[in-house]
Amino acid sequence: MNKKVSSLLAELEDLKRNFANGDARILRALRVLAKAKFTDAAELLRFHETLLFLRTYPASAEVLKLVEAILKMFEQRVSQLRKNDSDLSPLDDPEVSGIAGTSVTSNFSYAIVCWLAAKYPSQLQIDWDWFEEEERFGATMQRFLPLLDEEAMVEAHVPYRDYLGRAKGRANEVVWLIERFQSLRLSEKEKAEAYDSLKIHVRWEFAVRASRTRMRLPVRKTFFHDRPLIARREISLANELKAPPIPLERLPPAPGERILEMARETSAVRYRELHGFTFGDSRRVIRADLGRGTEAFVMGVPAAARLPLRAYHAALIFKNGVPVGYFEGLSLFERMESGFNLYYTFRDGETAWLYARILRLMRQLLGVTVFSIDPYQVGHENEEGIESGAFWFYRKLGFRPTKPDVRKLTSSEERKISADSHRRTPARTLRKLAAGHMLFELSDAGKKMGKWDRFQVRHIGFAIQTRMAREFNSDAHAMRLHSVAFVERTLGLQTQDWTGGARTALENLSLLFAMTQIDRWDSAAKQLAARIIQAKGSGDEALYLKLMQKHRYLRAEVIRLGY
């Protein structure tokens, strides 16, 4: 690519956040670059990501129209590079994969492959170059391929692909294989375990509509940015959490399912999967209008896919119809473990504002007032978090470290920064700062602050394992039976007809309740506990959380067990 085009591309990257001087320079650069021939995949990738940012944060209708026209032809640009035998590996990076004209190859989970096989059967194939689990494959496939064991039991280098090719006939090999697993007389969990153990890599040659380049949610009105974007320093998380309610709309099942399909697509083309997208409940999808052209679609999961203790919610976030990120919340009482991921392309956008709006939404929907950040998100065993200075992003929004030694180091580093405005925290210091959780609490939440500082849900799991070893000779079945009987008797529950999610919720929560002083609670507390169990196994988990938030005895016991 010539120097003029390279210079214009760098200029366009600089202009994408600068809306103060109108759109003339942006349009000039776009018109020249639209005619340019790119011979390097890395340069083409830079152009694509800048275009997608401008499509999401357009300065004007004219910019929007021109950007869409260029993106519409992007598949041909990728195809031309392929014809020229260019190195396309830069387009496969998980941060930027999913461009029109490319494909993704991954050992997707059984649930996602089932969905892909039903939705896009002709776009799938097994990537045999990644095939490694020969022994496990042979042992499993014997049930589908007669006499395969004649070779698989004694021979090396069995031609499994040839066996499968003959057995499937004219059917797509991925679809044929999935149909065989679906026919097994096993539970869905057992089918998934059997399939996932094979580590089969599936290639998805997705259509343009499912690509990052062209995936769009129809919008009624585009929000144009003719002024500077909202910076982090302009955001007060405390104030945002007290802002007026966000407009909400519950979607009917059909539109809800379409949102879930988009969530799976935009994740899969990025080599990602999210529990709430894979198993989301289309009957419980809520659209939230966050403002500034931004929408969030919040979804729960059906009873069969719920966590034993925590309530689960996920959200897919769109800006002007473009998927820009996702959120995952795991909640107990008023505490939510929050995971926020803004896709790489959009991290120069209004990240802090968007994050604050999402937390406001979660407070509104679920009543949560304490937000916890996992150490990984701020850089623990995550070099991307270290390089981006994620710790300071959360710290400047008001999050505080929960570990005393990290708090002390934070204070020391803040004093150094105050004395030297040009100081950048060294990576080795950032790694130490990322050694523990960070927490944000509303000061007017009505409860003493700091109660959740040392809480980790895994400590409850550890306590249950200890009890199982000590009181039940490590027999999980015996402990479950004893716990359920104890809770049924103590709460006066009649559960003979309980099945499915209700039964599962009873069995899981009984393990927790059996470790509390439930037998000493008053009748009102016991009745509330019974309602909590029932809410976990049916309806929306928002009710489960809100009932929990009313149970002060259970809250105290859970915090104690989680320390």
Side-chain angles (χ1 to χ4, degrees):
M1 190 166 64
N2 64 52
K3 291 183 178 180
K4 178 182 178 182
V5 172
S6 181
S7 176
L8 272 176
L9 180 57
E11 180 184 353
L12 190 63
E13 289 173 327
D14 290 337
L15 288 171
K16 71 181 184 181
R17 280 181 51 87
N18 182 6
F19 305 105
N21 299 316
D23 60 4
R25 293 175 64 194
I26 294 175
L27 288 168
R28 180 178 66 85
L30 284 173
R31 288 179 180 127
V32 174
L33 291 170
K35 299 175 182 178
K37 292 184 178 181
F38 289 77
T39 58
D40 179 78
E43 294 290 334
L44 184 63
L45 175 63
R46 287 175 57 197
F47 187 35
H48 180 275
E49 301 311 289
T50 304
L51 287 169
L52 204 53
F53 186 94
L54 290 170
R55 168 59 184 80
T56 308
Y57 290 88
S60 66
E62 194 173 0
V63 168
L64 176 64
K65 183 179 180 180
L66 181 53
V67 165
E68 281 285 37
I70 299 172
L71 287 172
K72 189 175 182 179
M73 303 302 295
F74 229 82
E75 184 180 22
Q76 288 88 326
R77 291 179 180 271
V78 173
S79 178
Q80 188 60 52
L81 286 181
R82 185 176 289 108
K83 288 179 182 178
N84 296 340
D85 291 328
S86 299
D87 177 15
L88 298 183
S89 59
L91 308 184
D92 290 331
D93 189 293
E95 290 285 9
V96 294
S97 62
I99 293 176
T102 65
S103 64
V104 289
T105 299
S106 182
N107 59 330
F108 296 111
S109 71
Y110 173 71
I112 286 296
V113 177
C114 284
W115 174 74
L116 286 170
K119 188 76 177 174
Y120 305 112
S122 64
Q123 299 175 7
L124 307 177
Q125 60 181 307
I126 295 174
D127 192 329
W128 292 96
D129 291 339
W130 287 86
F131 181 61
E132 295 179 349
E133 298 291 330
E134 291 195 20
E135 290 186 11
R136 194 179 296 274
F137 190 86
T140 300
M141 294 300 291
Q142 290 175 28
R143 67 186 81 190
F144 306 138
L145 301 172
L147 293 187
L148 175 65
D149 47 341
E150 180 69 27
E151 287 195 72
M153 292 177 67
V154 294
E155 302 283 354
H157 309 298
V158 178
Y160 294 112
R161 187 176 185 178
D162 293 337
Y163 270 95
L164 180 57
R166 286 165 171 76
K168 73 179 181 63
R170 295 183 177 181
N172 176 280
E173 60 187 0
V174 176
V175 175
W176 184 91
L177 187 60
I178 285 298
E179 288 176 346
R180 303 287 86 74
F181 275 93
Q182 290 174 330
S183 70
L184 293 174
R185 294 182 178 180
L186 300 172
S187 68
E188 288 303 303
K189 183 178 180 180
E190 290 169 330
K191 293 175 188 177
E193 289 172 351
Y195 175 87
D196 292 343
S197 70
L198 302 181
K199 299 180 181 178
I200 296 173
H201 282 71
V202 172
R203 175 181 294 172
W204 179 25
E205 296 181 351
F206 48 85
V208 172
R209 186 198 60 76
S211 69
R212 289 197 302 117
T213 310
R214 297 288 292 159
M215 182 180 286
R216 302 288 185 271
L217 180 73
V219 297
R220 297 177 188 144
K221 185 178 180 181
T222 300
F223 184 90
F224 294 105
H225 289 267
D226 56 0
R227 297 176 184 178
L229 301 182
I230 298 174
R232 179 200 46 73
R233 63 179 177 274
E234 300 176 66
I235 299 300
S236 165
L237 184 52
N239 290 342
E240 190 61 51
L241 287 171
K242 300 172 187 175
I246 293 169
L248 304 176
E249 173 192 4
R250 184 178 290 275
L251 299 186
E257 183 59 35
R258 179 59 194 133
I259 292 297
L260 285 170
E261 288 179 349
M262 293 184 75
R264 294 171 193 139
E265 288 169 347
T266 196
S267 298
V269 300
R270 291 174 167 89
Y271 298 98
R272 299 169 188 255
E273 292 186 40
L274 195 72
H275 182 77
F277 297 165
T278 301
F279 299 103
D281 189 344
S282 61
R283 300 167 301 169
R284 296 184 174 87
V285 177
I286 294 175
R287 174 188 173 274
D289 184 353
L290 304 182
R292 299 179 68 80
T294 308
E295 300 170 280
F297 292 85
V298 181
M299 63 229 30
V301 292
R306 289 178 183 172
L307 304 181
L309 301 182
R310 291 172 292 179
Y312 181 96
H313 293 85
L316 181 63
I317 308 164
F318 292 84
K319 169 78 173 180
N320 283 327
V322 178
V324 296
Y326 62 86
F327 180 88
E328 186 176 50
L330 313 174
S331 309
L332 277 175
F333 301 92
E334 75 274 17
R335 177 185 185 268
M336 171 179 276
E337 298 167 39
S338 62
F340 175 64
N341 191 298
L342 197 66
Y343 298 136
Y344 171 81
T345 310
F346 311 106
R347 291 178 187 173
D348 285 337
E350 296 175 328
T351 307
W353 173 84
L354 179 54
Y355 182 57
R357 292 297 281 168
I358 289 292
L359 294 193
R360 174 66 186 93
L361 175 61
M362 293 298 138
R363 185 193 178 198
Q364 179 176 332
L365 288 173
L366 307 174
V368 289
T369 57
V370 180
F371 300 94
S372 176
I373 301 296
D374 186 87
Y376 177 83
Q377 289 209 50
V378 294
H380 180 63
E381 297 182 352
N382 173 12
E383 283 305 302
E384 182 185 340
I386 296 300
E387 292 171 8
S388 67
F391 175 88
W392 291 117
F393 171 81
Y394 291 106
R395 177 59 179 160
K396 290 175 181 178
L397 283 174
F399 282 80
R400 58 179 174 78
T402 59
K403 295 179 67 174
D405 59 328
V406 179
R407 285 201 297 270
K408 182 177 180 181
L409 179 58
T410 301
S411 297
S412 173
E413 187 63 19
E414 286 175 335
R415 286 194 296 271
K416 293 177 182 178
I417 293 172
S418 179
D420 179 4
S421 60
H422 299 290
R423 176 180 172 80
R424 291 183 60 85
T425 304
R428 64 180 181 277
T429 303
L430 287 172
R431 293 188 184 95
K432 294 177 181 177
L433 292 171
H437 288 77
M438 300 184 77
L439 220 63
F440 183 94
E441 295 181 80
L442 275 180
S443 59
D444 62 346
K447 296 180 176 68
K448 183 178 179 181
M449 297 180 68
K451 285 287 188 179
W452 293 100
D453 280 17
R454 293 169 54 193
F455 177 87
Q456 292 188 50
V457 72
R458 67 171 52 126
H459 292 164
I460 298 177
F462 292 163
I464 289 174
Q465 313 315 310
T466 300
R467 178 178 181 243
M468 180 176 69
R470 184 179 62 243
E471 300 181 24
F472 298 94
N473 195 30
S474 298
D475 187 334
H477 182 64
M479 180 174 67
R480 284 185 178 276
L481 288 177
H482 181 275
S483 299
V484 168
F486 170 70
V487 170
E488 287 176 334
R489 184 174 63 254
T490 304
L491 298 183
L493 297 176
Q494 302 296 320
T495 65
Q496 297 89 333
D497 298 328
W498 287 23
T499 59
R503 191 73 199 177
T504 301
L506 172 64
E507 292 175 355
N508 287 329
L509 287 173
S510 289
L511 296 173
L512 171 63
F513 283 124
M515 298 189 67
T516 69
Q517 297 183 357
I518 187 173
D519 51 338
R520 299 184 183 180
W521 294 350
D522 57 40
S523 60
K526 290 179 180 179
Q527 290 173 9
L528 182 54
R531 292 180 64 195
I532 288 170
I533 294 173
Q534 292 171 318
K536 180 63 170 172
S538 62
D540 193 316
E541 283 192 291
L543 175 60
Y544 167 70
L545 268 185
K546 290 176 180 178
L547 290 174
M548 279 189 134
Q549 290 160 9
K550 296 178 180 178
H551 206 305
R552 61 188 180 94
Y553 298 137
L554 181 59
R555 176 180 180 271
E557 294 275 17
V558 166
I559 290 175
R560 175 183 63 82
L561 290 168
Y563 263 48

